[in-house]
Amino acid sequence: MFFSGDSSTRKRVDLGGRSTKERDRQKLLEQTRLERNRRLWLRQQNSAALKIQKCFRGRKVAAAEHSKVREQFVGTYGKHCQNVDRFSFGPDSEFLRQLLFFFDARSVGDFSILVEMCRLLQQFVRDTGDIVSLFAGMDYSSTHALVNYRVEQLAYLCVKAVHQNRNQLKDQLFAAPEVETVSTTLLLEAVVLLIDPKLPWACKTISYLLQRKAFTLYRDIILTGKESIKIRTSIGRVSSLERSLAAVIPHIGQKPCTCPNIDPHWSFSSQILTIPFLWKLFPYLGEVFATQGMSQHYIRQMALCVQNHAHVLPNDTSIELPGYACLLGNILESSGVALSQPGCSFEMAVDLAGVATFLLEALPSIKSSNRESREEFMTGEDDMIVGDDVMEVVLNNDLERQICDAIDPRFLLQLTNVLFGGISLASGSHHGPDDKEVSAVGAACAFLHVTFKTLPPERIMTVLAFRTELVPVLWNFMKRCHENQKWLSLSEQLAYLLPGDAPGWLLPLAVFCPVYKYMLTIVDNEEFYEQEKPLSLKDIRVLIIILRQALWQLLWVNPTAPTNPLKSFTNTVSNKKHPLEFIQHRVSIVASELLSQLQDWNNRREFTSPGDFHADGVNEFFISQAAIENTRANDILKQAPFLVPFTSRVKIFTSQLAAARQRHGANSVIARNRFRIRRDRILEDAYNQMSALSEDDLRGPIRVTFVNEFGVEEAGIDGGGIFKDFMENITRAAFDVQYGLFKETSDHLLYPNPGSGMIHEQHLQFFHFLGILLAKAMFEGILVDIPFATFFLSKLKQKYNYLNDLPSLDQELYRHLIFLKHYKGDISELELYFVIVNNEYGEQTEEELLPGGKNLRVTNENVITFIHLVANHRLNFQIRQQSSHFLRGFQQLIQKDWIDMFNEHELQLGC
């Protein structure tokens, strides 16, 4: 660079506007920060290195010290404890002090020494019978601190040694104490000996074991050993492992025990009760656990975890055996014994119901042979929701069976007896339920609601309906709440199941409705109307009001369920994500079914005004909406048509038919289909020509021309009058009992002839045709006077008939069956068997009601089953083919939704 002649330094200018001093200051600060971080990193490195050195140096020193003491021990007492005598266990001896100091469960030599020590300990105790003096000498009080320390350390080392070597000893882990040569037996029997409840140090020793998470060690030992239990020869004996566990679990802090409570994560409940099929492995332990105070303590502990939403369970043993499901199975399997004890407390039953409810709610649907019937019970439809990304867990079959078998009639009877034992059914309506009754009702309803949606309901309905006080207690509760106009909330204790603002009637109705509905399928007319069982007719009138108001609230006033409730919440994932919506949907279904059933009883013999079933809020706007497909009012009309007055439903039905006829050109001048009908062969000609038509043609106009006996067409143009005349004549001929397709009851009501196949070879095709014929008459608005029996009209609605429907078919048979039901003598003397005799046109055939029924005598124990099988045979089975073909033809023109708007009594008025 050349010299310019200017000796001054040119000033640098920062284009950002900062001065040189400011820029140098920031650079200095950044350099200082980086230097500080570098020095900190070096200090941390040096510190970590020192700690590692100290640790290794400490471990090395400790290992050397352990080795030194071990050599001294072997030199003094021998490699196999051959120099040990009973005085070696005393407080002044170095034997235990040295062993506890150097013992390493991973060392084969140390393990052998400990096993031999345990053998000698048990031998000396057998010889002297006094273990306290063996450890403490002559005065335990002066040496108790040292003795307690040594005993608790020794007990823990024995458990730890088995745990550390469990894989090598897996074939010995379940050995019985009689096998004295097995190392695991010697170690675990020493534990049993050291924690004998009679010993002064028992509670302190067990407290120490629990603090060291002994149940976690036991869990690992059991899970390792249970794989080889199948080849164990001592399968029927109590193993040493089981004996040691049974000695630990009674220490629950109740006098005289002084053991403190431990963290639920490491408790017996979470670590041991979650082991699959625990009581099959350890039946004796199950007996110990089932004693009242013990099971109550552990169930209470779990109930507190549920209330606090604490997750305390260990990792699952497998996908098919989740811990919570194993816990549920083990609790339920053992709780039957606890509930049956005379002193079982109300609090324990509430806790048990709460824990079981919580675990059942988490359970996936149980796969069983009755799954279809459970889904029908829950939804009434077969539609399933898809689209959830969550894959459901499939439980192990044996675990499913354990849970299902545990919730048996005996368990339910015991649980409800304890829950409802102190509740009076004679309480007046002037005061509401007390806290105890609210707790009992809430616990029972929550448990049964979850049970209904998880397990097959038919297994438990009979005991709930007829052997428990469930229905009287729930009805008494609901009636008082209704009359006091104050529904007490049950959701406070069930926050995991219901939100706090859920209506108080929701959960009781979810349980009451299906159980009472089941009862109504069993009781006979005399019991319902005359004896007024299970509820008085006055109470039933109140029940109708409660159900009607609840249903209207759920479906119209405050609907939270989806628009079409019949096709929602039928998969487990969905109803667990939306528990409130699922319960509301569930109640809307069961309340609708129960109200429909009560309406049937009212139609048989009126005990309340038909208007009591109509919702107060049905107005012109609702009616106009109900006539439109895919509206909420239309969905309500399909699900609960009784809420809408009969005349309004007739108007809607008529408008739907008119719209359907309009769509298919009913007013067209030109008809695509023309029938030539001979008057003397009207049925055969109509069958041949109408059977050839498609559904679309059947809905369209049909023109009829009558032909006389000479084959000449009769004069006249069919503008509708001839077709109407044709329909009236053909229905009169087709449904005439002389034709053999239908029979008459004693009240001259028609039903399919069970022996129709003996008269007409193509009888099923004729029934299909008659279904079309009746539907065509109804579709065209032609009133036909055909008096069908009520039980047959039920088939048009695809309903199942029960015993109380039998009078509409055969009143005499019904009286005979009711006589059997109330027979006081020995029914077996009547020489009845599970067979039924069919007598059609002089030909008698015998059918078994059950496989092997001709050899199964009717007794007092099975007479109820016999009665309902006979009713089912006559009402459902005998005419199943004829009814099925008739219905198939009928539904070609008349949608099921249209017919479902009316009950059987209303259909009789319309037909």
Side-chain angles (χ1 to χ4, degrees):
M1 183 176 181
F2 297 99
F3 179 62
S4 62
D6 186 1
S7 60
S8 63
T9 305
R10 187 183 295 264
K11 186 176 181 180
R12 290 176 294 177
V13 178
D14 192 320
L15 296 178
R18 292 172 297 183
S19 68
T20 305
K21 292 182 179 179
E22 182 182 354
R23 184 178 67 248
D24 294 342
R25 179 175 176 275
Q26 288 182 348
K27 184 177 179 181
L28 179 62
L29 289 174
E30 180 64 19
Q31 290 176 345
T32 304
R33 186 184 66 81
L34 293 175
E35 182 64 23
R36 187 189 307 115
N37 289 341
R38 189 182 68 82
R39 290 196 302 270
L40 177 62
W41 180 77
L42 288 174
R43 283 198 302 271
Q44 290 175 341
Q45 261 195 332
N46 292 334
S47 176
L50 288 174
K51 287 181 181 179
I52 293 172
Q53 290 174 5
K54 288 180 181 179
C55 179
F56 277 107
R57 190 182 304 121
R59 287 184 179 182
K60 194 172 182 180
V61 171
E65 190 64 25
H66 288 165
S67 179
K68 177 181 177 182
V69 174
R70 184 181 289 109
E71 290 176 5
Q72 293 175 0
F73 179 91
V74 172
T76 305
Y77 301 104
K79 188 175 182 180
H80 302 290
C81 298
Q82 60 268 28
N83 300 328
V84 174
D85 57 19
R86 62 181 303 272
F87 300 104
S88 302
F89 290 89
D92 298 327
S93 172
E94 293 291 304
F95 174 69
L96 285 177
R97 186 190 70 80
Q98 291 180 346
L99 176 62
L100 296 175
F101 177 75
F102 71 75
F103 181 79
D104 183 356
R106 294 168 296 182
S107 168
V108 176
D110 290 0
F111 182 81
S112 300
I113 291 173
L114 184 63
V115 170
E116 183 60 22
M117 187 277 297
C118 290
R119 187 187 67 78
L120 292 172
L121 172 63
Q122 294 170 60
Q123 177 184 326
F124 294 150
V125 172
R126 282 195 299 268
D127 293 342
T128 63
D130 183 8
I131 189 174
V132 176
S133 61
L134 189 69
F135 282 97
M138 300 301 296
D139 186 10
Y140 169 73
S141 60
S142 62
T143 60
H144 71 276
L146 175 63
V147 171
N148 291 350
Y149 171 78
R150 287 182 174 181
V151 168
E152 63 190 28
Q153 291 291 326
L154 183 58
Y156 176 74
L157 285 188
C158 291
V159 177
K160 183 69 175 177
V162 175
H163 177 266
Q164 187 68 43
N165 298 278
R166 62 189 183 280
N167 291 318
Q168 296 87 338
L169 303 171
K170 60 183 179 181
D171 293 335
Q172 305 177 12
L173 296 177
F174 286 84
E178 292 80 4
V179 188
E180 297 182 354
T181 58
V182 174
S183 56
T184 55
T185 297
L186 293 170
L187 291 168
L188 293 171
E189 284 300 316
V191 176
V192 175
L193 192 64
L194 292 171
I195 59 176
D196 188 310
K198 298 176 184 177
L199 299 177
W201 56 68
C203 283
K204 288 188 175 296
T205 303
I206 290 178
S207 296
Y208 180 77
L209 291 177
L210 299 181
Q211 291 170 9
R212 298 298 300 269
K213 304 177 183 178
F215 284 129
T216 304
L217 304 183
Y218 273 112
R219 175 183 176 84
D220 292 340
I221 295 170
I222 295 169
L223 291 177
T224 302
K226 80 182 187 71
E227 301 301 327
S228 59
I229 194 173
K230 294 179 182 179
I231 61 173
R232 187 164 55 92
T233 56
S234 57
I235 187 73
R237 303 174 185 175
V238 180
S239 67
S240 297
L241 180 59
E242 185 175 6
R243 278 166 47 83
S244 64
L245 260 176
V248 174
I249 65 171
H251 288 258
I252 54 178
Q254 296 181 357
K255 292 183 179 180
C257 174
T258 59
C259 293
N261 291 326
I262 63 170
D263 189 328
H265 288 84
W266 322 118
S267 67
F268 176 77
S269 303
S270 61
Q271 295 295 325
I272 305 300
L273 285 178
T274 53
I275 294 175
F277 316 112
L278 181 65
W279 311 130
K280 285 187 178 180
L281 297 174
F282 299 141
Y284 170 68
L285 183 68
E287 296 175 10
V288 175
F289 175 78
T291 58
Q292 181 192 339
M294 204 174 309
S295 56
Q296 181 170 347
H297 166 79
Y298 287 112
I299 290 174
R300 180 59 184 162
Q301 188 180 63
M302 287 179 277
L304 291 175
C305 291
V306 169
Q307 293 172 10
N308 298 326
H309 306 284
H311 180 74
V312 297
L313 301 185
N315 294 332
D316 298 335
T317 55
S318 71
I319 296 177
E320 290 187 339
L321 296 168
Y324 67 89
C326 297
L327 176 62
L328 174 64
N330 291 329
I331 290 174
L332 292 175
E333 189 176 341
S334 63
S335 57
V337 178
L339 289 170
S340 64
Q341 295 183 4
C344 182
S345 68
F346 170 80
E347 289 73 19
M348 183 208 166
V350 171
D351 286 340
L352 173 62
V355 171
T357 301
F358 181 79
L359 297 174
L360 276 169
E361 178 68 7
L363 209 64
S365 294
I366 296 293
K367 304 188 307 296
S368 73
S369 59
N370 298 312
R371 180 164 187 165
E372 291 79 8
S373 64
R374 183 178 68 258
E375 289 174 355
E376 181 182 353
F377 172 83
M378 292 303 299
T379 66
E381 292 284 325
D382 293 329
D383 301 300
M384 297 295 291
I385 295 178
V386 294
D388 285 291
D389 295 330
V390 182
M391 183 178 294
E392 280 196 52
V393 175
V394 178
L395 289 186
N396 174 274
N397 289 333
D398 292 332
L399 181 56
E400 284 188 357
R401 194 175 304 113
Q402 181 192 25
I403 296 171
C404 287
D405 292 347
I407 307 179
D408 60 3
R410 180 171 172 268
F411 169 80
L412 292 171
L413 183 60
Q414 292 169 341
L415 179 63
T416 53
N417 283 346
V418 177
L419 286 175
F420 300 148
I423 297 177
S424 173
L425 299 178
S427 301
S429 60
H430 60 279
H431 65 277
D434 57 21
D435 292 342
K436 183 177 181 181
E437 185 175 353
V438 172
S439 296
V441 169
C445 288
F447 173 72
L448 291 174
H449 163 69
V450 177
T451 300
F452 287 160
K453 70 177 184 178
T454 307
L455 304 180
E458 62 277 1
R459 296 177 62 250
I460 59 178
M461 274 298 172
T462 300
V463 65
L464 290 175
F466 297 105
R467 295 183 59 195
T468 72
E469 294 294 322
L470 178 68
V471 167
V473 168
L474 289 187
W475 171 243
N476 192 40
F477 176 85
M478 293 190 299
K479 181 182 177 182
R480 282 182 290 153
C481 289
H482 172 72
E483 293 179 349
N484 292 325
Q485 297 184 352
K486 183 180 180 182
W487 286 91
L488 300 176
S489 175
L490 303 177
S491 55
E492 293 179 4
Q493 54 182 326
L494 304 167
Y496 57 89
L497 196 62
L498 285 175
D501 57 349
W505 44 261
L506 198 60
L507 207 50
L509 283 181
V511 174
F512 176 86
C513 288
V515 179
Y516 185 61
K517 174 176 173 285
Y518 175 80
M519 296 179 82
L520 293 183
T521 65
I522 303 298
V523 299
D524 56 63
N525 293 336
E526 181 183 353
E527 290 171 326
F528 184 89
Y529 296 112
E530 308 299 336
Q531 301 175 17
E532 299 194 9
K533 294 180 178 179
L535 295 182
S536 70
L537 296 180
K538 180 181 178 182
D539 282 346
I540 292 176
R541 287 190 282 270
V542 178
L543 173 62
I544 290 172
I545 295 173
I546 294 175
L547 292 174
R548 185 191 70 206
Q549 292 175 347
L551 199 55
W552 189 249
Q553 187 75 19
L554 289 173
L555 297 180
W556 184 255
V557 177
N558 188 26
T560 55
T563 305
N564 191 347
L566 291 177
K567 297 183 178 180
S568 305
F569 299 114
T570 52
N571 75 336
T572 305
V573 174
S574 180
N575 68 53
K576 291 187 189 306
K577 285 183 178 179
H578 312 282
L580 176 61
E581 287 84 351
F582 174 78
I583 296 179
Q584 290 175 320
H585 158 71
R586 176 84 187 102
V587 172
S588 71
I589 295 295
V590 294
S592 298
E593 292 173 347
L594 180 54
L595 267 177
S596 177
Q597 201 168 12
L598 290 172
Q599 190 183 43
D600 290 341
W601 283 95
N602 195 51
N603 290 332
R604 294 188 194 105
R605 189 188 303 180
E606 190 170 299
F607 56 83
T608 189
S609 168
D612 288 346
F613 293 90
H614 302 158
D616 298 330
V618 174
N619 51 28
E620 290 301 322
F621 171 75
F622 180 90
I623 298 299
S624 64
Q625 290 292 300
I628 304 173
E629 285 289 331
N630 300 321
T631 61
R632 183 169 294 278
N634 184 259
D635 290 334
I636 293 173
L637 182 64
K638 293 175 182 178
Q639 180 179 341
F642 43 79
L643 294 176
V644 182
F646 174 63
T647 54
S648 300
R649 282 180 278 135
V650 171
K651 290 179 181 178
I652 294 172
F653 177 64
T654 304
S655 67
Q656 289 173 330
L657 285 179
R661 288 196 298 269
Q662 186 68 33
R663 287 195 301 271
H664 291 85
N667 299 324
S668 174
V669 177
I670 302 175
R672 288 183 298 175
N673 302 296
R674 295 180 176 272
F675 289 175
R676 285 172 53 86
I677 303 296
R678 293 170 293 179
R679 286 191 179 273
D680 57 342
R681 303 293 298 274
I682 186 171
L683 189 58
E684 291 80 358
D685 286 354
Y687 170 75
N688 292 330
Q689 295 178 64
M690 192 172 284
S691 298
L693 299 182
S694 65
E695 285 189 25
D696 195 53
D697 287 336
L698 286 171
R699 290 190 177 93
I702 297 175
R703 298 293 177 252
V704 174
T705 301
F706 282 111
V707 178
N708 62 23
E709 64 271 22
F710 302 109
V712 178
E713 293 185 0
E714 296 181 2
I717 298 175
D718 186 4
I722 298 178
F723 178 74
K724 182 179 180 181
D725 180 49
F726 159 73
M727 291 298 294
E728 290 173 349
N729 281 291
I730 192 174
T731 52
R732 191 180 304 115
F735 292 100
D736 192 330
V737 295
Q738 298 299 322
Y739 197 73
L741 291 176
F742 278 81
K743 295 181 75 172
E744 275 187 341
T745 67
S746 59
D747 295 329
H748 305 291
L749 300 176
L750 297 177
Y751 67 96
N753 180 8
S756 58
M758 302 174 66
I759 299 176
H760 299 281
E761 184 178 350
Q762 293 184 315
H763 68 121
L764 296 180
Q765 289 83 348
F766 270 107
F767 275 106
H768 184 270
F769 163 68
L770 293 183
I772 294 175
L773 199 65
L774 180 64
K776 181 63 175 175
M778 189 175 291
F779 189 82
E780 297 294 342
I782 299 173
L783 183 64
V784 290
D785 185 17
I786 305 175
F788 287 122
T790 306
F791 81 94
F792 175 60
L793 288 173
S794 296
K795 297 301 177 184
L796 293 183
K797 293 171 61 63
Q798 296 179 261
K799 284 172 60 177
Y800 187 88
N801 290 303
Y802 295 94
L803 174 65
N804 42 56
D805 297 300
L806 189 58
S808 69
L809 169 63
D810 192 335
Q811 292 186 3
E812 185 178 358
L813 175 60
Y814 176 77
R815 284 194 297 269
H816 290 162
L817 293 179
I818 296 304
F819 169 79
L820 282 180
K821 182 178 180 180
H822 300 289
Y823 187 70
K824 301 298 182 183
D826 186 358
I827 292 181
S828 61
E829 295 177 353
L830 301 179
E831 292 289 334
L832 296 173
Y833 292 85
F834 277 75
V835 294
I836 193 166
V837 177
N838 300 315
N839 190 350
E840 300 294 343
Y841 301 104
E843 182 177 329
Q844 286 192 349
T845 57
E846 191 177 82
E847 287 189 64
E848 291 184 332
L849 297 173
L850 287 174
K854 62 183 178 180
N855 299 317
L856 181 60
R857 181 176 292 190
V858 179
T859 65
N860 294 72
E861 288 73 29
N862 61 23
V863 66
I864 299 298
T865 302
F866 172 78
I867 289 170
H868 287 277
L869 286 174
V870 171
N872 173 63
H873 181 85
R874 293 297 191 202
L875 293 168
N876 301 302
F877 183 79
Q878 212 172 25
I879 60 169
R880 68 192 185 285
Q881 289 185 319
Q882 292 92 331
S883 299
S884 175
H885 281 76
F886 188 92
L887 178 64
R888 203 173 301 160
F890 184 80
Q891 289 185 343
Q892 283 190 248
L893 277 81
I894 302 297
Q895 296 176 200
K896 182 179 183 297
D897 292 343
W898 296 350
I899 287 298
D900 285 346
M901 285 196 292
F902 307 99
N903 59 47
E904 292 84 345
H905 176 71
E906 293 165 342
L907 287 175
Q908 279 183 327
L909 298 177
C911 291

